[in-house]
Amino acid sequence: MACAAIILGPRLAKSLPEIGNRPEYQLRTTDIQVTEIPQWVPRDLVAQVAPQAGIKPTRSVLDERLTSDLANAFRQHPWVEKVIKVSKSVPARVEIDLVYRRPVAMVEVSTGLLPVDGTGVLLPPTAFSTADAQRYPLITQPKSSPSGAVGTSWGDPQVIAAARLAAVLLPHWQDFRLTAIEIPAGIDGRAPLAELVFQLQTQGGSRIVWGRAPGVIYPLELSADQKIGRLEECLTRFGGFDQPDGPYEIDIRHFQEITRVRLTATREHRPKL
């Protein structure tokens, strides 16, 4: 009898369906839950990624490589900045904790506008309508095109620095009635970032000399928060950057004062605020 069991056992095991093939172990796209998707990320994100993880249309939740394959597939999507955790359970279900990339600016190139996040990563441009694009800071005068595909860094330190500045200004962009962040012309693309002095354009045509990008160390350079405070001071005192007789050039870089001069006036007269 024992001998029969030894002989028949393997054959019997092969004849039985594998447990992973049972319905409660079969993972479908609809069984994958991710961190709440923000409005700028496509709603069908999971459907886009699932086939790359081998879910065509199902995959056993008992597969030992399932969580790592899902993590790698989501990590490669251009809208995903980081995969924090992938966990699975039975009946078949997967929960994925994601950090999404957030658009902060549109970079003006010859072919149109290209979105970037706060680290200068190129984002999918097809995700934005014209109205969507107008809600974001516009970065003008880049000296380069993206060096890679969507989901990778633009590759130009000047554009990356401008994107960092856009991330700081984005919460204030509409209230300040700004239109563009200018990468200064005439500065070599390989020049140190300490030489890069950004200017902001307002809706009324005024020009604000912002200075260096956040994170760039320079003697007596104000912090980004201090500069935003200076801009708020201008709005409080004058009701707008272009009031009463603008447009103006407004320089907020100096440690002790703000200077403001009409763009149509001589630059010899710079009234202090």
Side-chain angles (χ1 to χ4, degrees), residues 78-115:
W79 279 113
V80 175
E81 179 179 336
K82 187 182 298 184
V83 178
I84 302 296
K85 183 181 179 182
V86 180
S87 57
K88 60 182 182 178
S89 58
V90 178
R93 177 181 173 85
V94 168
E95 295 183 1
I96 307 177
D97 188 6
L98 301 174
V99 176
Y100 300 103
R101 291 194 171 101
R102 179 184 180 90
V104 301
M106 298 287 164
V107 184
E108 187 177 52
V109 295
S110 59
T111 56
L113 302 178
L114 297 177

Side-chain angles (χ1 to χ4, degrees), residues 1-40:
M1 219 38 177
C3 291
I6 293 173
I7 294 171
L8 296 175
R11 294 179 182 175
L12 183 61
K14 289 180 180 180
S15 69
L16 294 174
E18 292 186 12
I19 190 172
N21 290 333
R22 290 167 55 176
E24 63 266 35
Y25 295 98
Q26 290 300 298
L27 182 74
R28 297 172 175 79
T29 299
T30 53
D31 300 320
I32 301 173
Q33 301 296 315
V34 298
T35 304
E36 183 177 359
I37 297 176
Q39 63 180 12
W40 57 84

Side-chain angles (χ1 to χ4, degrees), residues 121-139:
V121 169
L122 178 65
L123 301 175
T126 54
F128 300 88
S129 66
T130 301
D132 291 334
Q134 291 176 347
R135 291 198 293 266
Y136 292 97
L138 177 67
I139 296 173

Side-chain angles (χ1 to χ4, degrees), residues 7-272:
I7 294 171
L8 296 175
R11 294 179 182 175
L12 183 61
K14 289 180 180 180
S15 69
L16 294 174
E18 292 186 12
I19 190 172
N21 290 333
R22 290 167 55 176
E24 63 266 35
Y25 295 98
Q26 290 300 298
L27 182 74
R28 297 172 175 79
T29 299
T30 53
D31 300 320
I32 301 173
Q33 301 296 315
V34 298
T35 304
E36 183 177 359
I37 297 176
Q39 63 180 12
W40 57 84
V41 174
R43 310 307 297 176
D44 65 343
L45 173 71
V46 174
Q48 292 181 22
V49 174
Q52 301 174 40
I55 302 171
K56 303 176 181 180
T58 67
R59 183 172 174 180
S60 173
V61 77
L62 298 181
D63 190 323
E64 293 181 355
R65 293 185 54 84
L66 176 63
T67 55
S68 61
D69 286 350
L70 279 167
N72 289 334
F74 274 94
R75 198 174 287 121
Q76 293 172 27
H77 197 280
W79 279 113
V80 175
E81 179 179 336
K82 187 182 298 184
V83 178
I84 302 296
K85 183 181 179 182
V86 180
S87 57
K88 60 182 182 178
S89 58
V90 178
R93 177 181 173 85
V94 168
E95 295 183 1
I96 307 177
D97 188 6
L98 301 174
V99 176
Y100 300 103
R101 291 194 171 101
R102 179 184 180 90
V104 301
M106 298 287 164
V107 184
E108 187 177 52
V109 295
S110 59
T111 56
L113 302 178
L114 297 177
V116 292
D117 75 356
T119 64
V121 169
L122 178 65
L123 301 175
T126 54
F128 300 88
S129 66
T130 301
D132 291 334
Q134 291 176 347
R135 291 198 293 266
Y136 292 97
L138 177 67
I139 296 173
T140 64
Q141 303 181 159
K143 302 177 181 66
S144 64
S145 298
S147 61
V150 292
T152 64
S153 175
W154 190 285
D156 182 342
Q158 294 189 1
V159 173
I160 294 170
R164 290 204 309 269
L165 175 53
V168 168
L169 289 171
L170 181 59
H172 310 277
W173 195 257
Q174 299 298 326
D175 291 340
F176 286 170
R177 298 175 62 81
L178 301 173
T179 60
I181 298 170
E182 286 188 358
I183 297 177
I187 301 293
D188 188 279
R190 296 166 295 180
L193 291 181
E195 296 181 11
L196 205 62
V197 176
F198 289 99
Q199 295 188 9
L200 313 177
Q201 293 292 330
T202 73
Q203 292 181 14
S206 291
R207 183 167 61 234
I208 299 170
V209 185
W210 171 274
R212 291 154 186 87
V216 176
I217 305 301
Y218 193 79
L220 300 182
E221 184 89 9
L222 300 181
S223 70
D225 286 343
Q226 288 174 312
K227 292 176 182 178
I228 288 172
R230 291 281 180 89
L231 296 180
E232 291 172 338
E233 179 184 345
C234 286
L235 291 180
T236 299
R237 294 192 62 179
F238 298 101
F241 298 123
D242 314 299
Q243 303 298 325
D245 300 311
Y248 298 95
E249 180 182 277
I250 303 167
D251 195 332
I252 61 173
R253 295 174 296 166
H254 307 301
F255 194 75
Q256 294 183 328
E257 63 188 36
I258 302 171
T259 59
R260 192 174 76 139
V261 61
R262 291 184 61 190
L263 287 175
T264 54
T266 63
R267 295 179 178 269
E268 296 178 358
H269 178 59
R270 291 181 174 269
K272 299 180 182 179

